[in-house]
């Protein structure tokens, strides 16, 4: 089996991740719910993971990192926490439904919503963004890289514009965390939302939200915290304000192991390897008859994703053929990115997405190219 769906979730992970989850399940208690050793062991792992994430994203400090179940929950916490009647919000056509749907809900609750469009290659216009900001925006959310095309946004320039026009900047790094350097302070990111199970190579059910200096959010849920138990309301200090209930300590232990692997391996080496594999596949399929590749490949420093269609075949049929005949696993359909499909004019067909892990071998990429080439020679799928 060749797994080419890393943009959905990591399948190839360091063995240390699974080992850490098992070890945690055998040894860890509930952090903050006791002073005995198993509780303290859990608390240490969780705090050390906060430290590693704060260092990775250049957050103001570990206390500014709150754990969630995934990026979707983090984005809901951020957007809903800033929702107030009359707030002027903006998102983009590049965004995933984890941004768009909370924005649409905010619109129903009385917020003003603007969507920045994308061109036919799936790119945003910074000029159009600045014009939007000049008209007045309070909150702007966008993805760092499209989960459909792999196109990457210039977050440094976007952050500069947000700071210039006093716009709160929410960044979704689901497709870039663990692959690209991200600096909350240098890039003027006010709220960063991440998931642990993609580029970070941690377990599913892990993720989080990082807040910049001067940013606060109300409690998303309330309940047990292990501290200030006699208060009737959720304690307001980060990260407690956003972490009611028992954390996924076992998953966080796995995420800690994954972050340790990334530190040792080197994020730059991981990124270069994945981009090399992506480029090898792209060059092998882009000129095949009947193949249409989406996105902008003029910038090679992009997320390791190639989305394509074969003639007018339904993308799900192509993906199924790849799985059943060639044992190559890809993702087809809408990819939870409806506005990007509108920009690419692929609403009806969807697209077949190939996404790459640095654990893959060159011959596996060549096998995927061969499979696509063979499918172009078939009369039907």
């Amino acid at each position: 089996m060749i797994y080419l769906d890393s943009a959905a979730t990591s399948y190839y992970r360091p063995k240390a991740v699974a080992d850490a989850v098992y070890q945690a399940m055998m040894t860890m208690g509930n952090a903050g719910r006791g002073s005995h050793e198993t509780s303290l062991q859990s608390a240490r792992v969780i705090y050390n993971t906060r430290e590693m994430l704060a260092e990775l994203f250049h957050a103001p400090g570990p206390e500014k990192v709150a754990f969630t179940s995934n990026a979707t929950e983090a984005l809901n916490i951020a957007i809903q926490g800033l929702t107030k009647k009359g707030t002027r919000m903006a998102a983009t056509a590049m965004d995933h439904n984890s941004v768009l749907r909370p924005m649409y809900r905010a619109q129903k609750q009385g917020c003003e919503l603007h969507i920045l469009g994308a061109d036919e290659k799936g790119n945003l216009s910074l000029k159009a963004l600045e014009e939007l900001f000049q008209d007045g925006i309070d909150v702007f959310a966008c993805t760092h890289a499209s989960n459909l095309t792999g196109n990457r946004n210039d977050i440094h320039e976007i952050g500069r514009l947000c700071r210039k026009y006093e716009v709160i900047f929410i960044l979704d790094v689901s497709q870039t965390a663990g692959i690209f350097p991200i600096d909350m302070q240098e890039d003027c990111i006010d709220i960063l939302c991440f998931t642990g199970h993609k580029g970070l190579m941690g377990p599913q059910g892990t993720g989080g939200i990082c807040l910049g200096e001067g940013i606060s959010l109300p409690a998303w849920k309330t309940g047990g915290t292990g501290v200030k138990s006699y208060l009737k309301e959720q304690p307001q200090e980060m990260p407690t304000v956003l972490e009611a209930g028992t954390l996924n300590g076992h998953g966080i232990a796995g995420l800690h192991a994954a972050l340790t692997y990334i530190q040792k391996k080197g994020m730059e080496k991981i990124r270069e390897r994945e981009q090399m594999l992506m480029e090898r596949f792209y060059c092998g399929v882009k000129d095949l008859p009947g193949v249409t590749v989406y996105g902008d490949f003029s910038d090679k420093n992009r997320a390791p994703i190639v989305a394509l269609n074969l003639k007018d075949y339904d993308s799900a049929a192509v993906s199924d053929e790849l799985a059943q005949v060639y044992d190559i696993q890809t993702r087809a359909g809408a990819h939870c990115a409806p506005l990007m499909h509108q920009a690419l004019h692929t609403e009806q067909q969807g697209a077949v997405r190939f996404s790459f892990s640095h654990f893959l071998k060159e011959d596996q990429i060549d096998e995927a190219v061969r499979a696509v080439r063979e499918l172009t020679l078939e009369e039907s799928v």
Side-chain angles (χ1 to χ4, degrees):
M1 187 270 288
I2 301 174
Y3 183 85
L4 296 174
D5 197 18
S6 292
T9 195
S10 290
Y11 174 80
Y12 305 111
R13 288 184 173 89
K15 182 178 180 296
V17 174
D19 291 343
V21 173
Y22 175 79
Q23 184 68 17
M25 293 182 73
M26 299 301 293
T27 61
M28 279 173 51
N30 199 333
R33 272 65 169 182
S35 58
H36 49 77
E37 182 56 30
T38 57
S39 176
L40 293 175
Q41 170 64 11
S42 180
R44 292 186 196 105
V45 170
I46 289 170
Y47 183 77
N48 288 343
T49 309
R50 288 192 212 279
E51 288 186 311
M52 296 175 80
L53 289 162
E55 181 181 354
L56 179 68
F57 298 129
H58 298 268
E63 74 282 358
K64 295 291 187 176
V65 179
F67 288 106
T68 64
S69 58
N70 47 46
T72 297
E73 185 176 51
L75 288 160
N76 273 266
I77 291 170
I79 294 168
Q80 186 65 25
L82 295 170
T83 294
K84 186 171 63 175
K85 188 175 182 179
T87 300
R88 299 163 297 180
M89 293 188 170
T92 81
M94 291 180 70
D95 288 314
H96 189 277
N97 273 336
S98 55
V99 171
L100 296 175
R101 285 177 172 164
M103 285 285 189
Y104 293 144
R105 180 174 60 181
Q107 186 179 32
K108 287 184 176 181
Q109 294 172 342
C111 292
E112 183 181 314
L113 178 60
H114 301 267
I115 301 293
L116 183 68
D119 63 23
E120 291 193 350
K121 286 192 173 182
N123 290 320
L124 303 179
S125 164
L126 290 176
K127 179 181 179 183
L129 180 63
E130 183 161 19
E131 290 172 354
L132 179 62
F133 286 174
Q134 288 170 345
D135 291 337
I137 293 294
D138 301 308
V139 177
F140 176 67
C142 76
T143 184
H144 189 183
S146 168
N147 73 310
L148 177 56
T149 66
N151 292 2
R152 192 167 58 96
N153 286 317
D154 184 349
I155 57 171
H156 186 76
E157 184 61 20
I158 290 173
R160 186 192 68 80
L161 290 173
C162 286
R163 190 59 52 88
K164 177 181 177 180
Y165 291 97
E166 299 182 342
V167 178
I168 295 176
F169 182 20
I170 303 172
L171 184 66
D172 171 11
V173 299
S174 296
Q175 295 298 332
T176 56
I179 305 171
F180 289 91
I182 299 165
D183 191 320
M184 289 188 67
Q185 298 178 61
E186 289 293 323
D187 298 329
C188 303
I189 301 164
D190 295 302
I191 303 174
L192 182 145
C193 301
F194 68 93
T195 196
H197 70 99
K198 298 188 182 188
L200 290 178
M201 295 180 285
Q204 294 178 0
T206 60
I209 184 169
C210 305
L211 303 187
E213 292 288 2
I215 299 294
S216 62
L217 292 170
W220 167 250
K221 56 185 177 181
T222 60
T225 56
V227 296
K228 299 185 178 180
S229 294
Y230 290 99
L231 291 180
K232 293 183 178 180
E233 296 180 348
Q234 189 78 0
Q236 295 304 297
E237 300 82 9
M238 275 287 287
T240 309
V241 65
L242 301 181
E243 288 185 347
T246 296
L247 294 174
N248 178 12
H250 303 148
I252 292 169
L255 181 59
H256 183 279
L259 291 165
T260 300
Y261 171 85
I262 291 170
Q263 283 184 346
K264 292 180 178 178
K265 182 74 174 180
M267 185 164 47
E268 185 175 357
K269 288 184 178 179
I270 293 172
R271 181 176 67 256
E272 288 176 351
R273 172 74 181 172
E274 292 181 353
Q275 289 174 334
M276 181 274 290
L277 295 171
M278 172 198 67
E279 181 72 9
R280 188 183 186 99
F281 178 78
Y282 169 70
C283 290
V285 301
K286 66 183 179 69
D287 295 322
L288 292 176
V291 170
T292 302
V293 178
Y294 303 100
D296 187 352
F297 286 80
S298 62
D299 182 2
K300 303 304 180 185
N301 197 17
R302 63 197 312 284
I305 291 170
V306 178
L308 59 80
N309 274 317
L310 176 57
K311 302 180 181 178
D312 60 352
Y313 300 143
D314 181 77
S315 62
V318 175
S319 185
D320 286 347
E321 187 84 353
L322 286 166
Q324 293 168 14
V325 176
Y326 299 95
D327 206 9
I328 296 172
Q329 299 189 11
T330 60
R331 169 86 184 274
H335 309 274
C336 304
L339 301 186
M340 181 54 68
H341 279 286
Q342 290 179 19
L344 301 174
H345 307 296
T346 53
E347 302 102 306
Q348 299 303 315
Q349 193 176 10
V352 185
R353 184 184 67 190
F354 299 75
S355 48
F356 304 88
S357 164
H358 72 287
F359 286 106
L360 290 162
K361 305 300 183 184
E362 285 86 343
D363 61 346
Q364 293 176 300
I365 303 304
D366 296 340
E367 176 67 16
V369 171
R370 183 181 69 81
V372 175
R373 181 182 297 112
E374 288 186 4
L375 289 179
T376 65
L377 301 177
E378 294 184 9
E379 292 184 359
S380 63
V381 175

